Amino acid sequence: MSDNLLSVKLKAFHSIAKVLMPFLTKYQTDKPMLFFLPEDLKKIVNLLLQSFVLSKNLNTGTTLQKLLCLDINNPKIHKPIENIDLGFSAEKDVQSLHVLKKIYDRQIFDLRMDCKKFLIKLTMKMLEKSPLRYSTVRNLSCLDPRNMTDKKKCLNKMNHVLNSMIEAKHVDENVCDEILMEFEDYLDNVALKHSDFSEFSPENSRVEFFYETMKTSKYRNLWKVVEMLLLLSHGQATVEKGFSINKKVELENMKEFSYVSQRLICDCIN
């Protein structure tokens, strides 16, 4: 049985994939990326929500915390079915097919309803599985160089990060005042005085090298904290990459020592 809406469905899915792919590509790396994760995830979730949530309700989710509290299953905040966005190409095809009477209103209604259900499930799964549920992750954006122009916001977020680290027994409460003072000094005398911070590109630079300006006695307490946070992983890209490399170097009857040697060579080259 032929499906007149097959091409429309594929284009709708392609439109959604184009929202997700840049993020997946960007984070398929072994660089420390956790400082950029909160804002990037927020951007993706907002783009998905724009397709089916009324703008007046979407505007209430101005912060990550508010966005997480948004009840996206609530039909009262959803757009009318006829306004569910399928993506530019899909919408164009729907109009053409409707004019040619190859599809009917009921089919279009069902298509938009299915698309809405998919978007809800996808967004819910992203929010459920994403680390945005953790306060530490949400507040790590204070160490995104591009955000350091907002001193007050950064200091507030750093305060939350330190509280989480105290609870985890990674930081001594007695040095937190010094850490915050050093961070404030760093914002005033380094971040706010150099355009490199606002122009920082996570794709083209490594943040751990960028923060080498912290490796001084003046910011020794702050650097200890930042150094620990840089070790937090944003995903499994390195592990997955390792499996691929293992497969490439794999030969029959190869001894363990040979595997290790070849991996060391590959790691040095890469």
Side-chain angles (χ1 to χ4, degrees):
M1 185 177 177
S2 62
D3 184 355
N4 291 335
L5 285 169
L6 181 60
S7 65
V8 177
K9 292 173 184 176
L10 290 172
K11 286 180 179 180
F13 279 116
H14 185 247
S15 177
I16 296 167
K18 284 193 290 186
V19 173
L20 302 174
M21 275 304 293
F23 173 84
L24 296 173
T25 304
K26 181 178 179 179
Y27 283 84
Q28 194 67 22
T29 177
D30 57 1
K31 294 192 290 186
M33 296 289 285
L34 204 57
F35 300 163
F36 318 110
L37 190 66
E39 292 301 322
D40 286 344
L41 275 175
K42 181 186 175 186
K43 191 184 297 182
I44 287 178
V45 171
N46 268 319
L47 285 170
L48 293 173
L49 291 175
Q50 283 171 20
S51 299
F52 67 95
V53 173
L54 291 165
S55 56
K56 66 177 182 181
N57 296 103
L58 198 55
N59 290 337
T60 61
T62 50
T63 65
L64 282 169
Q65 187 65 44
K66 289 179 180 177
L67 198 63
L68 289 168
C69 294
L70 196 66
D71 182 11
I72 59 176
N73 261 321
N74 183 2
K76 292 181 180 178
I77 70 168
H78 296 167
K79 291 179 178 179
I81 290 298
E82 63 271 17
N83 292 336
I84 300 297
D85 187 12
L86 303 174
F88 183 83
S89 295
E91 290 288 355
K92 189 177 177 183
D93 279 9
V94 165
Q95 290 174 17
S96 299
L97 290 168
H98 192 248
V99 168
L100 295 170
K101 295 186 178 179
K102 290 186 177 181
I103 57 172
Y104 301 99
D105 292 341
R106 180 65 194 182
Q107 289 173 287
I108 297 172
F109 179 88
D110 290 341
L111 173 67
R112 293 190 189 279
M113 181 61 79
D114 288 342
C115 187
K116 176 180 141 179
K117 287 177 183 175
F118 174 73
L119 285 165
I120 291 171
K121 290 283 185 185
L122 174 63
T123 310
M124 284 184 66
K125 185 60 70 174
M126 280 192 67
L127 292 174
E128 177 192 333
K129 295 292 183 181
S130 85
L132 292 179
R133 293 175 293 123
Y134 301 104
S135 171
T136 305
V137 175
R138 292 197 302 273
N139 289 297
L140 279 177
S141 58
C142 68
L143 289 168
D144 180 342
R146 299 167 299 180
N147 293 336
M148 287 188 167
T149 51
D150 192 338
K151 177 183 169 182
K152 185 178 178 181
K153 195 173 182 179
C154 282
L155 285 169
N156 184 46
K157 284 178 178 285
M158 178 58 81
N159 209 315
H160 286 294
V161 170
L162 291 175
N163 278 322
S164 298
M165 294 183 81
I166 290 167
E167 287 176 20
K169 295 183 169 47
H170 289 306
V171 171
D172 184 353
E173 187 176 338
N174 296 318
V175 297
C176 285
D177 285 329
E178 286 89 337
I179 293 167
L180 287 169
M181 283 191 287
E182 288 175 17
F183 188 49
E184 185 173 7
D185 184 272
Y186 187 81
L187 291 172
D188 285 334
N189 296 310
V190 182
L192 293 172
K193 290 185 177 179
H194 294 84
S195 60
D196 291 353
F197 281 77
S198 58
E199 295 168 4
F200 180 81
S201 169
E203 292 87 354
N204 302 320
S205 306
R206 294 186 69 104
V207 73
E208 71 271 34
F209 298 150
F210 190 80
Y211 279 139
E212 285 188 346
T213 48
M214 273 187 201
K215 293 183 185 179
T216 64
S217 57
K218 188 178 182 181
Y219 304 117
R220 63 181 180 277
N221 294 305
L222 174 62
W223 174 245
K224 285 178 184 176
V225 170
V226 173
E227 198 172 25
M228 280 190 278
L229 295 172
L230 282 166
L231 294 173
L232 292 173
S233 174
H234 65 272
Q236 301 186 76
T238 306
V239 177
E240 291 168 4
K241 184 180 177 183
F243 290 143
S244 300
I245 294 170
N246 283 347
K247 193 171 182 180
K248 286 180 182 177
V249 302
E250 186 177 336
L251 292 172
E252 289 182 13
N253 302 320
M254 187 183 283
K255 291 185 178 180
E256 183 182 351
F257 182 76
S258 300
Y259 268 118
V260 174
S261 301
Q262 289 219 37
R263 272 307 304 271
L264 285 170
I265 293 167
C266 288
D267 289 344
C268 287
I269 293 170
N270 295 325

